[in-house]
Amino acid sequence: MLTKKEIRYCLDEIARMFPDAQCELNHRNPFELLIAVVLSAQCTDVLVNKVTKTLFEKYKTPEDYLNVPLEELQQDIRSIGLWRNKSKNIQKLCKMLIEKYDGEVPADRDLLMELPGVGRKTANVVASVAFNIPAIAVDTHVERVSKRLGICRWKDSVLQVEETLMKKVPKEEWGITHHRLIFFGRYHCKAQNPNCLECPLLSLCREGKKRTKGLERSNETK
C-alpha cells in the first residue's frame, strides 16, 4: 500500500498529466446531468452524449419525460445499453422529482439516492458536479486505478474504495480527484494495455512493475 507521501505524489503527477480533467457528459443543468449519468451506467460517455444531443432538445423538464408513452422514450434511447430499465427509471424519477421536489433536482446525496435508478455513484457525481458538494464517485476507472497503484486493496468493495479515498485525499480535492482518476484510467492506465512503460508513476505502481517485468523478460528472449 502507498504511503501518504506517495499518494500525494501520484495525485500531483496525475494532475500534471490531466490539468483540464472534468465531467465529459454534456449537460446544461443539474436535471440534464442526472439523466445523463443514469444513462451512462455500463455505457460510454461518448455514446451517451450522442444520444442526449437530440434527447435534451426533445425533453427539457421532468414533465416532458412523462408526457410521452414509455415506448416512445424507449425508442429515443434504444441505442444505449439497458434501455428498457433506464427508460422506466427515468420516468419514475421524473415523477418523484415533480411530486417531492417541485421538479427540481435535490442538492443532497441521500435524497438523490432515493430516486429510482440512482445509486451511490450517480448521486456522488450529481452532488459533486452540479452542486459542488465534496464527493468521490467511484466508477470502473477510479476503482481500477486506485487498486493498481496500491491506494486501496485488491479485495476492497466499491464502497471501501470510496471510503479509503475520502480518508487519503484532502476533502477540498475530492471532486477534481474523481475526474483526474477517471481521465488517468480512461486515457492512460486503461483496462487493456495500460501505458505502463511511459507512466510517471511506474516506480510506485505495484501493477505496473509486474507488467513491465513481463515485458522485459519477453524482450530479452527475442
Side-chain angles (χ1 to χ4, degrees):
M1 301 290 287
L2 296 185
T3 64
K4 189 173 182 178
K5 184 178 179 180
E6 289 170 335
I7 291 173
R8 181 71 264 168
Y9 174 79
C10 290
L11 295 178
D12 290 343
E13 281 298 308
I14 293 172
R16 185 184 60 78
M17 292 173 71
F18 300 102
D20 301 317
Q22 60 182 333
C23 179
E24 292 192 298
L25 289 170
N26 295 333
H27 64 281
R28 294 168 291 196
N29 52 61
F31 177 61
E32 287 188 352
L33 176 63
L34 175 61
I35 297 298
V37 181
V38 168
L39 291 174
S40 73
Q42 298 183 40
C43 182
T44 66
D45 289 358
V46 172
L47 179 54
V48 172
N49 287 337
K50 185 177 179 181
V51 169
T52 56
K53 185 175 181 180
T54 53
L55 191 75
F56 288 164
E57 291 306 312
K58 180 176 180 179
Y59 305 94
K60 298 182 185 297
T61 66
E63 289 83 0
D64 290 340
Y65 285 95
L66 295 175
N67 287 336
V68 299
L70 177 62
E71 293 75 19
E72 183 174 340
L73 177 57
Q74 288 178 335
Q75 283 300 122
D76 290 335
I77 67 168
R78 195 183 181 96
S79 60
I80 284 181
L82 307 176
W83 52 272
R84 286 188 180 87
N85 282 337
K86 289 177 181 177
S87 58
K88 291 176 184 176
N89 283 330
I90 286 172
Q91 287 198 332
K92 288 177 183 176
L93 74 82
C94 285
K95 187 172 186 290
M96 187 178 288
L97 288 178
I98 293 168
E99 292 176 350
K100 294 188 68 173
Y101 307 108
D102 296 321
E104 298 294 323
V105 177
D108 181 280
R109 188 182 68 183
D110 293 335
L111 296 179
L112 285 165
M113 287 176 64
E114 293 177 2
L115 297 171
V118 177
R120 190 177 183 90
K121 186 201 80 172
T122 296
N124 277 334
V125 171
V126 175
S128 175
V129 175
F131 302 112
N132 293 314
I133 297 171
I136 296 181
V138 178
D139 71 350
T140 182
H141 300 296
V142 174
E143 181 181 9
R144 181 175 68 254
V145 169
S146 298
K147 290 182 176 180
R148 280 181 174 175
L149 284 173
I151 297 174
C152 303
R153 299 172 300 177
W154 285 115
K155 64 180 182 179
D156 283 352
S157 65
V158 171
L159 179 57
Q160 287 174 317
V161 170
E162 179 186 336
E163 291 171 343
T164 299
L165 289 171
M166 288 169 69
K167 289 176 185 174
K168 296 184 177 181
V169 176
K171 190 172 183 178
E172 64 272 17
E173 295 180 32
W174 286 358
I176 190 60
T177 295
H178 157 74
H179 295 306
R180 287 170 179 165
L181 290 178
I182 287 177
F183 270 55
F184 185 74
R186 183 176 287 162
Y187 302 114
H188 184 81
C189 187
K190 301 175 184 178
Q192 304 294 328
N193 300 317
N195 194 8
C196 298
L197 289 175
E198 297 179 15
C199 185
L201 307 181
L202 178 58
S203 63
L204 297 176
C205 181
R206 59 185 180 184
E207 177 72 8
K209 288 175 183 176
K210 288 182 196 172
R211 288 174 177 267
T212 51
K213 276 183 182 177
L215 290 172
E216 287 167 3
R217 282 196 298 269
S218 63
N219 288 334
E220 287 170 2
T221 57
K222 288 182 181 179

